[in-house]
Amino acid sequence: MEVMSRRSVRSPATPKTPVACPCRLSEPYDKCCGRYHFGAGAAPTAEALMRARYSAFVQQDEAYLLGTWHPRTRPARVDFDPGMRWTGLEILDTSDGSAFHSTGTVTFRASFRGGSLHERSRFERVDGAWVYVDGEFLS
């Protein structure tokens, strides 16, 4: 006589609804900024890195933020405000920052509950990858 295990029979997993990317592009998170966070390549432009870094702030992904910060300006750690709730990103302007450049700037407005942050960020390539250097707060 054959002994059968008493495993429960499960129905196939229900596909998960794709989670929208915090950067607000039309792709779901795992195909947009998430692919950079998970290590499936580097952001190809300064703007793409800006979007991925914003999404990393939303996700509180310290490793990604530190890994994409220029070594000469990188802090020892990222202090996240536990009460901060990011609500949107708007890219206002870009200058250079493509595959043909070694530097670039991205001007953006990042909204949070109760206000917004308006900044012009500078980016450079280090070993071929875009990294955040620093930013200037704008009014």
Side-chain angles (χ1 to χ4, degrees):
M1 177 174 212
E2 186 175 314
V3 177
M4 298 180 75
S5 69
R6 295 185 174 253
R7 287 190 243 176
S8 62
V9 177
R10 293 183 184 188
S11 59
T14 306
K16 292 182 180 179
T17 303
V19 176
C21 191
C23 84
R24 298 209 171 174
L25 287 180
S26 61
E27 293 288 325
Y29 171 71
D30 64 338
K31 293 188 183 341
C32 193
C33 295
R35 65 186 165 159
Y36 305 130
H37 297 172
F38 304 139
T45 64
E47 180 182 339
L49 180 59
M50 178 63 243
R51 290 179 177 282
R53 287 179 55 82
Y54 168 81
S55 294
F57 271 104
V58 172
Q59 302 288 341
Q60 296 191 0
D61 186 343
E62 182 180 36
Y64 183 81
L65 290 166
L66 293 175
T68 58
W69 215 306
H70 198 290
R72 76 172 181 264
T73 59
R74 179 186 307 135
R77 53 179 276 185
V78 178
D79 292 320
F80 296 104
D81 179 346
M84 178 70 74
R85 179 166 162 75
W86 295 102
T87 59
L89 175 67
E90 180 183 6
I91 302 296
L92 303 171
D93 188 41
T94 60
S95 175
D96 299 335
S98 76
F100 303 105
H101 301 106
S102 58
T103 63
T105 62
V106 178
T107 304
F108 68 93
R109 180 173 294 113
S111 301
F112 55 89
R113 190 175 15 196
S116 66
L117 169 74
H118 188 191
E119 181 178 312
R120 180 178 303 114
S121 295
R122 292 185 323 124
F123 297 87
E124 291 179 12
R125 284 186 185 267
V126 171
D127 296 328
W130 285 107
V131 293
Y132 170 77
V133 177
D134 59 18
E136 170 190 0
F137 293 115
L138 305 171
S139 51

